[in-house]
Amino acid sequence: MAGLVLTGIGKSFGPVEVLRGIDLDVADGEFVVFVGPSGCGKSTLLRVIAGLEEVTSGTIRIDGQDVTTERAAERGLAMVFQSYALYPHMSVYRNIAFALENMRLPREEIEARVRRAATMLRLTEYLDRKPGALSGGQRQRVAIGRAVVRDPKIFLFDEPLSNLDAELRVATRKELASLHAEIGGTMIYVTHDQVEAMTLANRIVVLNKGRIEQVGTPLELYNRPANLFVAGFIGSPRMNFIRGQVGAGGKLVTPDGKVSLPLPPGTVATGEVTLGIRPEHVAPCSAAEADARIAVELVEQLGSESYLYGTLADGTALTLRSPLEDPARRGEDVPVRFDPARLHLFDAAGLAIRP
Amino acid sequence: MSETGSPPRAFPRDSLASRLIQAVAGLADRPMAWIQRAVGGRGMAYVFLAPNILFFGLFVFLPIGINMAMSLTGGTNLFLSERPFIGGDHYRSLMQCGSYLDPASCREDHFWKGVSNTLKFTIVQMVAMVGTALVTALVLNRKIRGRGFFRAVYFFPVLLSPVVVALIWKWILQRDGLLNGAITLAGGEKILFFVEPGWAMFWAVFVSVWAHMGFYTLILLAGLQAIPADLYEAAEMDGTKPMRVLTRITLPLLWPNLVVVLVLVLIKAVQTFDEVFVLTGGGPGTATLMVVQYIYETAFANQVQNFGLAAAASMMLGTLLFALTMLQLWIARRKAA
Ligand SMILES: Nc1ncnc2c1ncn2[C@@H]1O[C@H](COP(=O)(O)OP(=O)(O)OP(=O)(O)O)[C@@H](O)[C@H]1O
Ligand SMILES: [Mg+2]
């Protein structure tokens, strides 16, 4: 177990700058998740930490020691690959034992460690099989077992669940969470599934175009997104954005003047702004208390809740979530209320404006 | 996020290409239908196989039969009808030896010299060929500058005719050749490569390795590239030393290709004739005489053309090659399973 400090990490492939100025502190025992859209550099950052890619600039410290120029083999980290990367010609036992054999541990020690990991991951009865004769979920567990036995300084995961079906993904997610609770190692986990990120992480790192947009606990990111990108990226369905000017009376007025909405209480702003509100914080209401009206275009009924997709009077798309089974019909004009405590405001550059 | 669906078609159903194929195939429809009515659905398979079997029979099975008959008959006449039946006499005289370890003690001493030379050549050449091909493939599989260029360079000799290869090297190695020129320039003594038995055999092996290595390198390179790169990354994360990566990851995963190469090299080495014959003529003396050269000379080059004896020797060689080919097929099948 160990902490990790990244300072000014930059990485280019030829002329393509993939990572820029990444600064990050990961505390000992922390579970940190990297999220971001496809191609934003999550895997590259993980591979840089692993030592599988060299940095172009910046330093990497593990446990206070500069490892920037050390090879992956020397860093003492373990990685679970998206493809699992199990050795196809070795049994499950040998796959898990391989790294320990490399360390030249005594045979009994290896055997004991492999058995312990196998028990924890329910792999004992498969130890003699080759990876080719395992299901996806079992392979996944072997890959995790291979990392766990080594007692590494840091665990690195690159989208380890993306090859599993939805049900197995949820089950394995829970297992990972309890694994972290049990062995308490420092874990860095890449995903583009925000549910995985929200449920697993102590802290989430949101990456975009090779930069860190925001670092924070899942709830911090959800409740206090630092900018438009994070606000739009975290949460599903995504946050509604309404662009406009701050007009007279401290209200947001859309360019065509048809819609006027309240700003978050206590905020001071002028000029171009964007108002953000999550679908779960907009609710149908009586005409008297309405902030706006939406023309419903589509209703999705999920049983436990429904989503209404519609537009405001100026044409801005707006989604809202309702706990009702049958809140409205297509074509209806529904009065809605925005929860004032849940409004977000962003300036012209996209940065959050706080009270 | 998983995608399901049928695999993509080669041609969209109504594309021009698919309609064209249908039109052409349509021409054969009616005659084929007639034949099928006559022989039945199962018989059709044999109808399709027939043309190939015919040519195969004409140029492979028939000659094997004639060869067998030749080996069991005597005399110097080329026509079977004029040749008296002598049973296994040729085989007996081929096998007549004082000691099988000493070719000189045999009645057909050249045959046994050829066998012993071919054996030596095969063993040394297999080790040298597979060794160099493996090392070359491992190097070419790395991300080195000019990789494509080197791959082409190593494959180039494979495209040359064996006779051309032998002539090039003869030109280099002869008494006043390129190599001796370089040696004298460096102040050394000329070496008569084709006069000293050891040197002649060395160059026979060297030249055949030079000429064919590219082919086997290509097979091994294909095998190396089929090994997923993430396995090497996993091994790196597992703290594996480079030598151990080679012995525990690369070689085990390359093993099926390596076996194929070993057997192919073996079969080709046993058949060796043209390169060595042009290069050394089997000499000095019989130092590089191979079995196939013995067969060729016995049948066609000697004063007395002994077709029967040559046929018997080639039957024996053929049996060995057949066994080796079966071995190769067995391995290939086991690999596929
Ligand atoms: N070896 C490479 N050479 C050149 N460009 C690369 C290389 N590896 C990655 N890239 C580029 O770097 C960018 C980031 O890639 P990376 O794999 O880190 O994305 P990611 O965030 O993991 O995306 P995903 O969610 O799709 O896995 C991409 O634009 C990619 O094309
Ligand atoms: Mg990735």
Side-chain angles (χ1 to χ4, degrees):
Chain A
M1 276 198 273
L4 169 78
V5 180
L6 303 179
T7 326
I9 297 292
K11 171 70 187 170
S12 304
F13 292 106
V16 188
E17 219 180 351
V18 174
L19 297 176
R20 306 161 227 223
I22 303 272
D23 295 311
L24 182 67
D25 268 25
V26 177
D28 192 0
E30 207 178 3
F31 199 128
V32 169
V33 175
F34 295 170
V35 287
S38 188
C40 70
K42 305 181 293 289
S43 300
T44 307
L45 183 56
L46 197 74
R47 290 166 58 81
V48 160
I49 296 170
L52 295 172
E53 304 280 2
E54 283 173 25
V55 295
T56 315
S57 62
T59 55
I60 304 167
R61 287 170 181 279
I62 295 173
D63 254 354
Q65 234 179 339
D66 189 337
V67 297
T68 314
T69 54
E70 268 181 26
R71 293 183 337 117
E74 297 160 347
R75 294 191 188 181
L77 314 183
M79 182 149 166
V80 176
F81 293 81
Q82 179 173 1
S83 60
Y84 312 148
L86 301 179
Y87 308 120
H89 56 299
M90 298 184 197
S91 66
V92 169
Y93 182 96
R94 299 215 75 84
N95 260 286
I96 300 178
F98 191 64
L100 303 178
E101 287 167 4
N102 288 342
M103 296 184 204
R104 300 181 172 278
L105 293 185
R107 187 185 294 249
E108 308 80 56
E109 164 90 20
I110 294 180
E111 163 113 28
R113 283 216 212 173
V114 173
R115 301 243 165 239
R116 202 171 339 126
T119 313
M120 182 166 69
L121 295 163
R122 288 175 287 114
L123 286 169
T124 309
E125 55 184 308
Y126 309 112
L127 282 176
D128 295 328
R129 291 213 201 155
K130 298 267 174 70
L134 297 179
S135 73
Q138 290 160 346
R139 281 180 214 179
Q140 172 62 52
R141 296 209 295 274
V142 177
I144 294 173
R146 202 164 61 169
V148 169
V149 273
R150 292 181 42 203
D151 198 8
K153 289 186 188 150
I154 300 174
F155 290 92
L156 307 173
F157 299 88
D158 192 353
E159 309 209 17
L161 308 187
S162 60
N163 288 337
L164 303 181
D165 65 40
E167 201 176 330
L168 203 50
R169 205 180 304 179
V170 173
T172 318
R173 200 172 76 206
K174 285 189 201 144
E175 278 173 22
L176 272 174
S178 61
L179 181 80
H180 182 240
E182 195 173 328
I183 62 178
T186 309
M187 299 191 173
I188 299 178
Y189 187 104
V190 166
T191 181
H192 58 242
D193 181 328
Q194 51 164 305
V195 180
E196 259 169 49
M198 297 293 279
T199 51
L200 286 171
N202 297 136
R203 276 197 303 157
I204 296 178
V205 177
V206 182
L207 288 166
N208 183 32
K209 296 183 183 150
R211 284 183 193 283
I212 293 182
E213 294 281 352
Q214 190 176 0
V215 181
T217 65
L219 286 182
E220 270 168 18
L221 297 191
Y222 180 82
N223 290 324
R224 300 173 63 82
N227 54 44
L228 273 176
F229 180 82
V230 177
F233 193 77
I234 300 286
S236 171
R238 54 185 264 130
M239 188 186 281
N240 299 299
F241 294 119
I242 305 129
R243 295 165 54 102
Q245 295 272 345
V246 180
K251 286 203 149 203
L252 174 130
V253 183
T254 53
D256 60 5
K258 285 186 182 161
V259 182
S260 140
L261 292 165
L263 296 184
T267 48
V268 195
T270 50
E272 290 255 339
V273 289
T274 303
L275 187 70
I277 181 91
R278 296 189 188 280
E280 50 269 43
H281 302 139
V282 183
C285 63
S286 66
E289 46 180 9
D291 288 315
R293 305 180 71 89
I294 67 165
V296 178
E297 289 175 346
L298 177 70
V299 182
E300 276 180 359
Q301 291 167 324
L302 304 181
S304 63
E305 60 197 20
S306 314
Y307 290 110
L308 300 188
Y309 298 91
T311 52
L312 293 171
D314 73 326
T316 306
L318 193 93
T319 306
L320 72 88
R321 194 177 74 180
S322 162
L324 304 176
E325 260 182 35
D326 192 13
R329 293 286 155 82
R330 182 184 146 81
E332 270 181 65
D333 199 40
V334 179
V336 294
R337 208 180 99 78
F338 293 0
D339 181 347
R342 299 295 199 155
L343 286 170
H344 303 266
L345 192 64
F346 304 92
D347 65 17
L351 295 178
I353 303 171
R354 303 223 188 274
Chain B
M1 205 109 3
S2 74
E3 269 181 58
T4 51
S6 52
R9 292 170 160 282
F11 301 108
R13 195 188 297 271
D14 287 320
S15 73
L16 184 65
S18 100
R19 261 181 291 166
L20 209 66
I21 290 172
Q22 277 172 16
V24 173
L27 291 180
D29 268 1
R30 197 161 302 187
M32 279 300 167
W34 286 333
I35 299 175
Q36 182 163 3
R37 221 164 294 139
V39 299
R42 278 171 167 275
M44 277 312 277
Y46 299 100
V47 172
F48 286 121
L49 288 174
N52 201 18
I53 283 286
L54 201 72
F55 281 101
F56 217 68
L58 209 58
F59 295 113
V60 176
F61 291 126
L62 184 65
I64 289 179
I66 294 174
N67 194 58
M68 173 103 86
M70 279 281 191
S71 76
L72 299 172
T73 53
T76 55
N77 207 307
L78 187 57
F79 299 103
L80 275 178
S81 53
E82 314 280 313
R83 296 171 63 87
F85 181 77
I86 57 162
D89 277 4
H90 287 315
Y91 293 94
R92 265 189 290 279
S93 53
L94 279 175
M95 298 303 288
Q96 213 177 76
C97 273
S99 152
Y100 285 117
L101 293 178
D102 177 15
S105 72
C106 298
R107 182 170 152 178
E108 281 301 321
D109 57 342
H110 279 197
F111 174 70
W112 285 100
K113 185 70 185 166
V115 169
S116 123
N117 282 340
T118 306
L119 196 69
K120 254 189 266 174
F121 177 86
T122 302
I123 292 171
V124 178
Q125 198 236 31
M126 253 171 90
V127 174
M129 184 83 89
V130 176
T132 39
L134 181 62
V135 171
T136 313
L138 285 172
V139 172
L140 291 185
N141 194 39
R142 302 185 142 241
K143 285 185 194 141
I144 53 169
R145 209 175 258 268
R147 182 161 69 158
F149 169 77
F150 284 111
R151 284 183 190 173
V153 164
Y154 283 104
F155 192 72
F156 218 63
V158 177
L159 303 174
L160 297 177
S161 136
V163 174
V164 173
V165 167
L167 287 175
I168 292 172
W169 281 95
K170 201 169 179 171
W171 182 66
I172 294 173
L173 298 170
Q174 66 198 354
R175 177 204 290 265
D176 296 316
L178 215 58
L179 186 55
N180 271 327
I183 290 176
T184 30
L185 211 68
E189 287 272 321
K190 273 187 193 172
I191 304 174
L192 301 181
F193 293 114
F194 296 126
V195 175
E196 291 181 40
W199 275 119
M201 186 55 115
F202 169 83
W203 287 114
V205 172
F206 181 93
V207 170
S208 78
V209 169
W210 180 84
H212 302 294
M213 190 193 76
F215 178 66
Y216 302 110
T217 301
L218 206 67
I219 296 181
L220 293 178
L221 202 54
L224 286 174
Q225 286 177 344
I227 301 176
D230 57 6
L231 291 188
Y232 290 111
E233 296 189 335
E236 172 79 19
M237 293 306 297
D238 276 347
T240 321
K241 299 241 156 53
M243 202 57 207
R244 237 171 102 78
V245 173
L246 180 69
T247 56
R248 299 296 304 277
I249 312 269
T250 309
L251 290 183
L253 290 174
L254 190 62
W255 184 241
N257 295 61
L258 216 48
V259 171
V260 168
V261 165
L262 272 169
V263 177
L264 285 180
V265 172
L266 176 66
I267 290 174
K268 267 210 80 139
V270 171
Q271 294 173 312
T272 298
F273 170 51
D274 35 16
E275 272 152 25
V276 177
F277 181 65
V278 176
L279 188 70
T280 68
T286 55
T288 55
L289 177 86
M290 303 288 154
V291 182
V292 181
Q293 188 185 340
Y294 165 83
I295 293 170
Y296 161 74
E297 284 178 346
T298 306
F300 305 113
N302 287 354
Q303 216 77 49
V304 184
Q305 302 190 334
N306 194 340
F307 301 124
L309 193 61
S314 72
M315 283 308 293
M316 288 166 75
L317 184 67
T319 312
L320 174 69
L321 287 172
F322 181 75
L324 291 177
T325 307
M326 285 294 123
L327 174 74
Q328 193 227 325
L329 287 177
W330 179 72
I331 289 168
R333 210 161 293 161
R334 218 184 39 158
K335 184 184 160 192

